[in-house]
Amino acid sequence: MRTAGRPTLEAVARRAGVSRATVSRVVNGSTTVAEEIREAVHRAVAELGYVPNLAARSLVTQRTDSIALVMPEDANRVFSDDQFFPGIIRGVSQELEAADKQLVLMLAGSPAGRERVARYTTGRHVDGVLFASLHAADPLPALLAQLGIPVVCNGRPLDGAGLPYVDVDHVGGVSRAVQHLIDGGRRRIATIAGPSDMVAGIERLAGYRQTVAAAGLAERVATGDFTRESGAAAMRDLLDRHPDLDAVFVASDLMAQAALRTLREAGRRVPDDVAVIGFDDTETAAYTEPPLTTVRQPIQEIGRQMTRQLLRLAAGETVEPALVLSTELIRRDSA
């Protein structure tokens, strides 16, 4: 039976037959209280409908039960049709919900946005910070780590900070894709690479270059920024410079979808004239025309693993410095 009005800590103490201090320790997660007493307090909390004061709990435990997911991108990019971002958010959210933690989503695609993130996180309003879509010039992850704030990144930080990270085998995935093109008889293989200030762009280009070099083939490179617009522009550039190309590896599915359309507009048949392979295996890859052969990376699993690593760090545990997940070549009709 619930008492009238908002239940107090004192009411819980009377119901459980313990002191106010004991109730405070139990609701703040202390493990120094005997199990039978903890059970009595939890029963009293449930019976009375007591809701702990989160601000007071934070002062006692030095925890906020909140985790920040920082994306150094502007809102237009994060809330575009690039399925990387919602995939990461879903993975992070699943783990935090299971751990009864709150997610704070923060965008840092401008100087003002980065300053806001820096103020909020250094003010200890969260127990740790996840960085996704990290760019090379961002000093914030290393700064937070120096202040003792747990940090986990998506992708190896390019500034040499040595922070723990979760990523996928970009080089191996691309090498399998390009080798598939070579095994299919393609010899004039181009690539649309990703940004050179992001580890995904750097390593996917490295996988392409290593594989074509090992086969004695010439490079044909254009660069995009993981958007459809840049994929279309890069594909037009490649056709202008290398009209004889017979295959293209594209560093993201979003750019690959634009490349397919550009090839169709140029009168090139896929895969008869030009084979195309993307990277990501987003939900729409199977519904392009033709269906896109691509390298699958487990986007939601990246978010889940990043969160697990961060929660361990926040609990004072040690974690692996680098967790690299596998990729898989998904064969469809475009190559």
Side-chain angles (χ1 to χ4, degrees):
M1 179 178 177
R2 298 177 187 271
T3 60
R6 181 173 179 174
T8 64
L9 205 65
E10 289 78 4
V12 175
R14 286 194 299 270
R15 177 64 65 92
V18 298
S19 70
R20 185 184 186 282
T22 297
V23 173
S24 178
R25 288 199 297 272
V26 172
V27 298
N28 288 321
S30 173
T31 59
T32 63
V33 180
E35 183 177 354
E36 62 272 16
I37 295 178
R38 291 203 305 272
E39 291 177 355
V41 171
H42 289 313
R43 279 197 305 271
V45 166
E47 291 168 359
L48 295 174
Y50 173 74
V51 178
N53 185 317
L54 295 181
R57 178 177 178 178
S58 294
L59 289 173
V60 172
T61 64
Q62 297 298 300
R63 296 197 309 270
T64 66
D65 287 335
S66 297
I67 297 296
L69 171 58
V70 177
M71 293 184 171
E73 305 282 356
D74 61 33
N76 290 334
R77 180 75 188 281
V78 171
F79 298 108
S80 70
D81 51 1
D82 188 337
Q83 294 178 29
F84 175 82
F85 298 107
I88 291 292
I89 293 170
R90 282 196 294 270
V92 171
S93 298
Q94 289 167 2
E95 287 299 315
L96 290 181
E97 182 177 357
D100 196 24
K101 307 291 184 183
Q102 299 298 317
L103 170 63
V104 180
L105 178 61
M106 308 192 75
L107 307 185
S110 66
R114 288 190 290 275
E115 174 62 25
R116 183 172 60 253
V117 170
R119 288 198 310 271
Y120 189 83
T121 53
T122 57
R124 308 286 176 158
H125 297 295
V126 292
D127 298 329
V129 184
L130 299 166
F131 281 91
S133 191
L134 194 61
H135 294 258
D138 194 338
L140 186 55
L143 170 63
L144 297 183
Q146 289 170 3
L147 294 174
I149 299 172
V151 174
V152 174
C153 301
N154 160 226
R156 172 176 52 85
L158 295 173
D159 63 357
L163 299 173
Y165 67 89
V166 178
D167 208 350
V168 301
D169 181 11
H170 299 285
V171 174
V174 175
S175 295
R176 285 189 294 275
V178 176
Q179 190 61 51
H180 175 66
L181 295 170
I182 295 170
D183 293 343
R186 310 289 175 161
R187 292 295 180 269
R188 299 178 298 279
I189 304 171
T191 189
I192 298 176
S196 60
D197 69 337
M198 300 181 72
V199 68
I202 294 169
E203 293 191 353
R204 292 175 197 178
L205 179 57
Y208 164 82
R209 283 178 161 158
Q210 291 175 17
T211 310
V212 296
L217 305 179
E219 292 183 7
R220 295 169 169 83
V221 179
T223 302
D225 62 3
F226 292 148
T227 63
R228 273 203 184 91
E229 295 77 10
S230 70
M235 190 70 252
R236 288 191 293 268
D237 177 41
L238 285 172
L239 289 173
D240 287 342
R241 291 189 289 118
H242 307 288
D244 63 337
L245 64 83
D246 61 8
V248 57
F249 166 74
V250 190
S252 80
D253 283 357
L254 209 59
M255 294 195 298
Q257 291 169 16
L260 287 173
R261 179 172 181 174
T262 302
L263 287 166
R264 185 164 57 249
E265 292 171 346
R268 304 295 181 93
R269 298 170 299 167
V270 177
D272 296 347
D273 300 326
V274 181
V276 179
I277 297 181
F279 196 110
D280 288 329
D281 193 31
T282 55
E283 295 173 2
T284 57
Y287 300 98
T288 58
E289 182 55 43
L292 183 64
T293 296
T294 184
V295 178
R296 174 179 293 164
Q297 65 165 334
I299 298 174
Q300 290 189 47
E301 185 63 17
I302 294 170
R304 286 191 287 265
Q305 292 293 345
M306 288 171 63
T307 308
R308 291 171 191 168
Q309 297 288 77
L310 185 65
L311 292 176
R312 292 188 189 109
L313 280 178
E317 302 176 20
T318 57
V319 300
E320 299 177 57
L323 182 58
V324 179
L325 308 180
S326 298
T327 55
E328 179 185 1
L329 180 64
I330 305 300
R331 301 184 184 186
R332 299 192 180 101
D333 296 343
S334 69

